[in-house]
Amino acid sequence: MKRFVLPLALALAACSNATPTVETAEPSPTDSFLEQLQKDYPVTLSELAPGVWVHTTVYRLPGQAPVPINGLFIDDGDAITLVDGAWGELATVALIEKVRAETGKPVTRLIVTQHDAARTLGVDAAEREGLEVFTHPATPGLAARAGYPVPNTSVAALNTPQSRTKVGRVEVAFPGPGASPDNLVVYLPEEKILYAGFFVRGAGAETLSASDDVDLQAWRDALVWTKTTYRETETVVPGRGKGADILLIDATARLIDQALAETTSD
């Protein structure tokens, strides 16, 4: 029996008359997970200057109002530096993925400004994502004693009050004990932005919300040093609440003065 082969052109024409089959790719489990993560842990980004953004995430305590906290992320050329992550592991993963998606660059560094739960609960997730973590030398021990995740690294150069060092294009300083014994601040000299974390209260704050063991006078002295050292600052970003200009440091100092006066009167 002689076999006949359909010419290629006729075969293509026959295929073109057939009803096309459309194949829709199923989303990967990873994509679905990240999409749900962004819904559960939304991230708000606010640009302060070219290459510098404030990131704000929210922590929800059962039975309490949501707690928004701030951090920074900084374009450092080929990569991104985070200053403080989100409160919690999944929230930190959501933050890192959001920053990667927005910038198209890897996030390689995380500067943790103190051992508070809001600053360290996402450290393990950040380290799993490959970020190099920078902290005050006392932060790992303080975090361990508090039962929080322990950062793997610290910066010995920041051990002494009023010490400073460079991390990428930013300057990291330890002004001295303040809201916590290990609080750091981060300064961007080109943009004249000071990220103060919980060391400085947000605009309009009426209380310090400090623990009883805080050395108020040491905190005030550290604020004075910070304002003097970074006198050219135009924008101060607090760890919680709204930012303002350098006078935000004075506002926190006044709250300390009030607390000191109340302590004296007692």
Side-chain angles (χ1 to χ4, degrees):
M1 181 181 296
K2 187 175 180 181
R3 296 169 55 198
F4 292 91
V5 178
L6 189 66
L8 178 60
L10 292 178
L12 291 175
C15 290
S16 66
N17 292 329
T19 302
T21 301
V22 178
E23 295 185 2
T24 303
E26 292 292 331
S28 70
T30 300
D31 291 341
S32 299
F33 170 73
L34 293 177
E35 182 179 349
Q36 187 61 47
L37 205 60
Q38 294 295 330
K39 293 178 181 178
D40 293 341
Y41 302 95
V43 179
T44 301
L45 304 179
S46 305
E47 188 171 23
L48 283 183
V52 183
W53 294 261
V54 175
H55 64 76
T56 303
T57 53
V58 174
Y59 188 76
R60 291 175 173 83
L61 291 163
Q64 298 185 31
V67 182
I69 59 168
N70 303 324
L72 286 187
F73 76 89
I74 302 151
D75 190 328
D76 209 354
D78 295 334
I80 299 295
T81 296
L82 275 181
V83 183
D84 282 331
W87 191 339
E89 289 200 347
L90 291 177
T92 296
V93 173
L95 169 62
I96 292 170
E97 290 299 327
K98 177 77 169 181
V99 172
R100 285 172 177 163
E102 290 291 325
T103 65
K105 296 183 179 183
V107 183
T108 59
R109 300 187 186 103
L110 171 63
I111 300 169
V112 177
T113 58
Q114 65 179 70
H115 72 283
D116 185 273
R119 299 314 187 191
T120 57
L121 289 186
V123 163
D124 285 349
E127 290 176 340
R128 281 199 306 272
E129 292 289 321
L131 277 66
E132 184 178 9
V133 178
F134 299 83
T135 74
H136 183 278
T139 298
L142 290 168
R145 284 194 286 276
Y148 305 145
V150 179
N152 288 335
T153 56
S154 62
V155 182
L158 295 171
N159 189 50
T160 306
Q162 303 180 6
S163 55
R164 295 181 278 173
T165 192
K166 294 279 286 184
V167 175
R169 72 180 184 91
V170 305
E171 180 169 281
V172 184
F174 173 47
S180 69
D182 58 332
N183 48 209
L184 304 177
V185 298
V186 176
Y187 186 64
L188 287 73
E190 294 180 13
E191 296 84 359
K192 299 180 180 179
I193 295 170
L194 178 71
Y195 175 77
F198 296 147
F199 181 61
V200 171
R201 300 290 288 147
E206 298 180 351
T207 61
L208 285 174
S209 299
S211 59
D212 294 336
D213 60 349
V214 167
D215 186 333
L216 293 175
Q217 188 58 57
W219 188 355
R220 198 188 192 293
D221 293 343
L223 286 168
V224 171
W225 177 84
T226 301
K227 185 180 178 184
T228 302
T229 302
Y230 301 113
R231 61 175 62 89
E232 294 183 354
T233 296
E234 295 178 356
T235 304
V236 178
V237 180
R240 184 178 178 187
K242 294 182 179 180
D245 59 21
I246 198 169
L247 295 180
L248 198 60
I249 296 176
D250 294 335
T252 302
R254 285 194 295 272
L255 291 174
I256 292 174
D257 290 339
Q258 292 172 14
L260 285 169
E262 291 170 2
T263 302
T264 303
S265 64
D266 292 340

